[in-house]
Amino acid sequence: MKKALDEMKRQLGKVDIIIYVLDSRIPLSSVNPSLNKIAQGKSILYVFNKIDLADEAKINKIAPRFKTETSDYIILNSTLSGLGTKVRNKLNALASKKLSKYANKGVSITIRAMVVGVPNSGKSTLVNSLCGKAKAITGNKAGVTKANQWLNIGGNVELCDTPGTLYPNLADQSVAKKLAYVGSIRDEVVIKEELARELLIDLQQLYPNELATRYSGETTLEGIAKVRGFKVGGGQLDEERAAAAIIDDFRKGRIGRITLD
């Protein structure tokens, strides 16, 4: 992560705007303080991504907080096509002073934007959608993008796709578990049963009806393993399989459209 942040700092001199991709299921927890520091002095377009999986009413209340004199926001699903014009319009508005300055001199310039965000927030999928073809490597797990890539998305805009960056110190366990829920932290370094139990507690507090509907009224790992018939040898409940199913259900929106922040 330090290497990725250092490389971003080196590229910042070439950048007019930062496109900050947030996961709409955990928009506040996917704001990385380290990225905030290196973004100082730059205009920012906050992209509330994966809205198809999130609680849109909540996001419509949260997103306006991110609009200032030097920042704006857009709410979208990066897997959809036809996003180019909307995003370019936002970028042109944020860069309007620079564009006007050069236009008065009869010079047409390119807006250069750097795409940042925590792992698995959909950065590369957004870049590909804007390009109209697969130019950035994507995957449904953390750490797919390994290096910065400059890409032309048409019009007067170039994007730099960057590796996902997590906090240097995930001391806040509430934030850490939410990042793990959405796959920003690699599954290999978490205990799925514990993560699933924490997720069920949060869902029971915030989305009890959706949780009960999905699992026939069951709200515990053991109860869900039982109702789903997940068992191992000797008839014991297969809690590991149940945990994996619960996490997968959440990530794919099968429990409902959820925002945990």
Side-chain angles (χ1 to χ4, degrees), residues 76-242:
L76 53 77
N77 170 8
S78 64
T79 65
L80 299 179
S81 60
L83 301 174
T85 300
K86 292 180 180 179
V87 173
R88 279 193 294 269
N89 287 344
K90 291 282 187 179
L91 295 174
N92 279 312
L94 286 169
S96 59
K97 289 183 179 179
K98 183 173 182 178
L99 291 170
S100 297
K101 176 183 174 181
Y102 282 90
N104 291 335
K105 298 177 182 179
V107 178
S108 177
I109 62 168
T110 297
I111 297 172
R112 307 196 89 191
M114 178 182 285
V115 186
V116 304
V118 297
N120 203 36
S121 57
K123 297 183 287 65
S124 295
T125 302
L126 174 63
V127 171
N128 286 337
S129 180
L130 296 175
C131 290
K133 60 182 71 176
K135 292 188 177 182
I137 302 169
T138 65
N140 191 26
K141 63 180 180 178
V144 173
T145 303
K146 300 297 183 184
N148 295 337
Q149 307 176 72
W150 278 102
L151 303 164
N152 192 305
I153 65 167
N156 63 328
V157 179
E158 288 184 358
L159 297 184
C160 179
D161 186 26
T162 64
T165 51
L166 282 173
Y167 300 41
N169 179 12
L170 278 168
D172 188 331
Q173 290 302 295
S174 175
V175 170
K177 71 180 182 180
K178 289 173 187 173
L179 289 166
Y181 293 160
V182 301
S184 292
I185 296 174
R186 291 185 297 112
D187 289 333
E188 293 83 357
V189 301
V190 299
I191 300 171
K192 285 189 176 180
E193 293 94 319
E194 292 184 9
L195 187 65
R197 285 192 175 93
E198 289 292 326
L199 176 58
L200 289 171
I201 290 170
D202 287 342
L203 292 175
Q204 178 64 14
Q205 291 176 343
L206 298 171
Y207 294 91
N209 294 335
E210 289 83 349
L211 181 64
T213 298
R214 178 64 186 173
Y215 299 115
S216 304
E218 296 292 343
T219 60
T220 65
L221 182 62
E222 295 79 4
I224 293 169
K226 186 175 181 180
V227 78
R228 287 292 178 89
F230 294 154
K231 295 182 180 180
V232 291
Q236 290 186 331
L237 296 175
D238 190 342
E239 293 182 4
E240 182 178 358
R241 184 181 174 193

Side-chain angles (χ1 to χ4, degrees), residues 4-40:
L5 285 169
D6 288 344
E7 179 58 26
M8 286 181 198
K9 291 176 185 177
R10 284 192 286 271
Q11 295 282 356
L12 275 177
K14 308 173 186 177
V15 171
D16 300 300
I17 300 170
I18 290 177
I19 299 176
Y20 204 140
V21 182
L22 307 176
D23 189 319
S24 292
R25 295 168 296 180
I26 55 163
L28 304 181
S29 294
S30 55
V31 174
N32 184 340
S34 297
L35 294 179
N36 285 350
K37 289 178 182 177
I38 71 169
Q40 287 182 358

